[in-house]
C-alpha cells in the first residue's frame, strides 16, 4: 500500500522521512535515546543518523509490503515529529493488526498518543477494513495502559512473562478494539 497521510486535527500523521526536504533522523535519535522508550520498546535502538535512515527505510519497506503501516505523529503547525504510531502485524485474512505507539519525552502527558491511536484505529477499521485491533502493554508501563483505556480498548487478558524489560520478564496485558465497538 502507498503511505497514507492522516489529518488528525491537532496532529498530522505522515510517513517517516529522511530525504532532502524532511529529515526525521534527529527526532528519532533523540527519542530513542530516552531511557523510557528504550526500556519499553523491546530493544529498538536508533543511535545515530545512519541508524535513523535505516529505520525510516525499513518502515517504508513495511508500508510497501503491507506488514506495518507507521506514521510520524507531527505537530500540525511545525511539522516536527513528536511520536510514532503504527498498525503492525497486519493480517488481511483475519482482519486484524496490533497498534503500537510512543511519544517523545518532552511531549508526554498531553494526550498525543491517545489522539494518534484513535485516528489510526479509525484508519484501520475504515480504510483497511480491519475487524480487530489489539494493543499490548507491559504491566508497569502505566502511561501505555492509560493510552489503551483512553483510546477505548477493552482489557482481554494477560500474557505471563511475555516481555523482557530491564533483564526481567514482565507480564503483558492484552487489549482489543473491534470495528463494532
Amino acid at each position: 500500500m502507498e503511505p497514507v497521510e492522516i489529518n488528525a486535527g491537532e496532529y498530522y500523521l505522515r510517513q517517516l522521512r529522511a530525504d532532502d526536504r524532511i529529515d526525521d533522523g534527529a527526532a528519532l535519535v533523540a527519542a530513542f535515546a530516552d531511557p523510557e522508550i528504550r526500556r519499553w520498546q523491546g530493544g529498538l535502538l536508533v543511535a545515530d543518523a545512519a541508524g535513523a535512515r535505516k529505520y525510516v527505510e525499513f518502515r517504508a519497506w513495511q508500508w510497501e509490503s503491507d506488514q506495518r503501516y507507521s506514521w510520524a505523529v507531527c505537530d500540525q503547525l511545525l511539522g516536527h515529529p513528536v511520536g510514532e504510531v503504527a498498525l503492525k502485524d497486519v493480517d488481511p485474512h483475519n482482519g486484524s493488526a496490533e497498534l503500537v505507539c510512543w511519544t517523545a519525552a518532552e511531549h508526554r502527558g498531553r494526550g498525543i498518543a491517545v489522539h494518534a491511536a484513535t485516528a489510526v484505529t479509525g484508519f484501520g477499521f475504515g480504510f483497511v477494513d480491519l475487524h480487530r485491533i489489539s494493543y499490548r502493554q507491559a504491566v508497569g508501563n502505566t502511561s501505555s495502559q492509560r493510552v489503551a483505556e483512553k483510546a477505548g480498548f477493552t482489557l482481554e487478558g494477560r500474557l505471563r512473562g511475555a516481555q523482557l524489560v530491564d533483564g526481567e520478564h514482565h507480564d503483558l496485558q492484552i487489549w482489543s478494539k473491534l470495528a463494532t465497538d
Side-chain angles (χ1 to χ4, degrees):
M1 173 187 306
E2 287 291 318
V4 174
E5 296 179 353
I6 301 173
N7 184 340
E10 198 174 334
Y11 300 96
Y12 184 69
L13 283 55
R14 62 163 171 78
Q15 182 180 22
L16 287 160
R17 294 184 48 187
D19 55 47
D20 57 345
R21 289 186 53 228
I22 298 173
D23 188 353
D24 296 329
L28 289 168
V29 170
F32 283 92
D34 172 38
E36 285 300 297
I37 288 179
R38 290 183 25 202
R39 180 175 189 217
W40 299 113
Q41 287 294 327
L44 284 175
L45 183 61
V46 177
D48 54 26
R53 273 191 306 282
K54 287 179 183 176
Y55 185 88
V56 170
E57 289 168 2
F58 185 61
R59 291 290 186 248
W61 176 82
Q62 288 176 311
W63 265 103
E64 291 170 13
S65 63
D66 290 318
Q67 294 180 17
R68 179 184 188 121
Y69 309 130
S70 62
W71 293 265
V73 180
C74 299
D75 174 271
Q76 188 73 281
L77 297 175
L78 303 175
H80 300 304
V82 297
E84 182 181 10
V85 62
L87 291 172
K88 72 175 201 168
D89 300 329
V90 178
D91 180 349
H93 176 73
N94 288 311
S96 64
E98 180 181 345
L99 179 89
V100 293
C101 58
W102 57 262
T103 305
E106 64 273 19
H107 299 285
R108 290 191 193 120
R110 299 183 197 167
I112 295 169
V114 173
H115 199 82
T118 301
V120 167
T121 56
F123 169 84
F125 293 138
F127 191 80
V128 184
D129 199 29
L130 296 176
H131 164 71
R132 179 181 193 280
I133 298 175
S134 63
Y135 183 85
R136 296 176 184 213
Q137 159 258 319
V139 172
N141 188 343
T142 56
S143 296
S144 186
Q145 180 174 337
R146 283 193 301 275
V147 170
E149 293 167 345
K150 291 180 178 182
F153 284 76
T154 300
L155 181 61
E156 288 186 337
R158 182 182 289 236
L159 293 173
R160 296 179 319 140
Q163 183 173 347
L164 191 63
V165 178
D166 297 334
E168 295 181 18
H169 289 279
H170 282 243
D171 292 356
L172 286 176
Q173 292 194 123
I174 306 300
W175 302 77
S176 73
K177 193 171 190 177
L178 302 178
T180 56
D181 285 351

